[in-house]
């Protein structure tokens, strides 16, 4: 399968058409942004790590009953995926207070929740991805009630599975963001990526941050953190 036209370029990935109208090629970049593109940089080797990590994790999720867009990895940076139209929702599950949750609700980072929280943001850069609830998503026509229920069920299942996978690597899954898409026939599948760009991952013992927060917060050791979590994951498989 070969790349044809550039269909879309996002902050961290490019998406190309292929000869097959149902299939696209995703190409992961080393570019990193934060705060809605205000902060820009590169993380050397990130594209390849995120590509391979996302594929490993999605393959595991698929095996456990969560449908995904993954078809097959083509090379270090590129993956063949099913064409979807993205549901414009950022679907976030949290196990521990951090980031915008801590800021919004005045809760110290690191407070462990008794139950995971599920939250939705409207995926809209111009509006700064505002938080919304199911009724808002319905009013905006972003998804149906049935789709929202399925998205919630899949997101919580993904959380349970990812917690197990990362737990086996000595890594605590603090929170993550996923996106879902619709196939041509309307089937909802997990899309986008699962990587240190989209998850908060802490060393289970030391709570050292091993994810994109090192870039967002200028903590240094960004590349090393990506390499370390990737190594821990591959060593545990
Ligand atoms: P938040 O605490 O900033 O809302 O982030 C929650 C999770 O979502 C965290 O794991 C990082 C991830 N995330 C993205 O993947 N993309 C984004 O644009 C943002 C803001 C967060
Ligand atoms: N990817 C988002 C942006 O560019 C933010 C983030 O991951 O923090 O702004």
């Amino acid at each position: 399968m070969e790349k044809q036209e550039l269909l879309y370029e996002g902050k961290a990935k490019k998406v190309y058409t292929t000869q097959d109208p149902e299939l696209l090629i995703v190409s992961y970049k080393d570019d990193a942004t934060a705060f809605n593109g205000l902060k820009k940089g590169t993380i050397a080797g990130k594209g390849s790590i995120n590509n391979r990590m996302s594929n490993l994790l999605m393959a595991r999720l698929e095996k456990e009953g969560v449908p995904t867009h993954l078809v097959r990895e083509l090379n270090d940076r590129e993956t063949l995926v099913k064409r979807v139209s993205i549901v414009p929702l950022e679907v976030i599950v949290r196990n521990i207070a951090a980031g915008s949750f801590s800021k919004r609700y005045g809760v110290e980072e690191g407070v462990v929740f008794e139950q995971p929280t599920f939250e939705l943001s409207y995926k809209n850069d111009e509006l700064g991805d505002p938080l919304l609830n199911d009724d808002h998503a319905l009013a905006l026509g972003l998804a149906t009630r049935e789709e929202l229920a399925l998205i919630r069920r899949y997101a919580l299942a993904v959380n349970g599975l990812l917690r197990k996978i990362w737990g086996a690597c000595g890594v605590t899954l603090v929170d993550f963001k996923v996106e879902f898409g619709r196939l041509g026939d309307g089937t909802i599948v997990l899309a986008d990526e699962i990587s240190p760009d989209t998850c908060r991952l802490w060393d289970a013992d030391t709570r050292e941050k091993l994810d994109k927060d090192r870039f967002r917060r200028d903590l240094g050791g960004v590349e090393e953190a990506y390499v370390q979590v990737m190594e821990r994951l591959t060593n545990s498989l």
Side-chain angles (χ1 to χ4, degrees), residues 21-169:
E22 307 276 295
L23 299 177
L24 299 174
I25 292 174
V26 177
S27 178
Y28 285 74
K29 306 192 284 188
D30 284 352
D31 298 349
T33 65
F35 315 117
N36 204 7
L38 274 178
K39 182 181 170 83
K40 289 192 177 69
T42 51
I43 301 173
K46 173 171 88 77
S48 145
I49 288 176
N50 286 8
N51 179 43
R52 290 180 292 124
M53 185 184 292
S54 191
N55 293 342
L56 283 172
L57 295 173
M58 288 216 192
R60 285 281 290 274
L61 295 173
E62 185 90 49
K63 232 171 74 185
E64 303 286 345
V66 179
T68 76
H69 70 164
L70 176 64
V71 178
R72 68 172 187 277
E73 193 166 290
L74 297 175
N75 57 53
D76 231 29
R77 273 176 198 275
E78 295 176 339
T79 294
L80 190 65
V81 299
K82 294 176 188 163
R83 186 176 194 140
V84 297
S85 79
I86 289 285
V87 179
L89 292 171
E90 304 223 329
V91 179
I92 295 166
V93 179
R94 302 177 191 269
N95 299 298
I96 297 178
S100 68
F101 185 98
S102 290
K103 196 165 170 218
R104 181 175 302 117
Y105 303 116
V107 177
E108 197 186 333
E109 196 158 272
V111 173
V112 179
F113 302 146
E114 262 182 47
Q115 307 240 339
T117 69
F118 171 87
E119 95 193 23
L120 296 173
S121 289
Y122 182 17
K123 188 173 152 67
N124 183 321
D125 281 344
E126 272 148 54
L127 299 176
D129 298 338
L131 194 65
L132 46 62
N133 66 24
D134 276 23
D135 284 351
H136 300 151
L138 286 170
L140 293 169
L142 305 182
T144 66
R145 202 171 279 289
E146 293 70 33
E147 287 175 333
L148 291 168
L150 191 58
I151 284 171
R152 180 186 168 98
R153 188 156 67 76
Y154 283 153
L156 292 173
V158 167
N159 184 51
L161 295 164
L162 290 183
R163 279 176 69 159
K164 252 194 243 160
I165 294 169
W166 284 117
C169 311

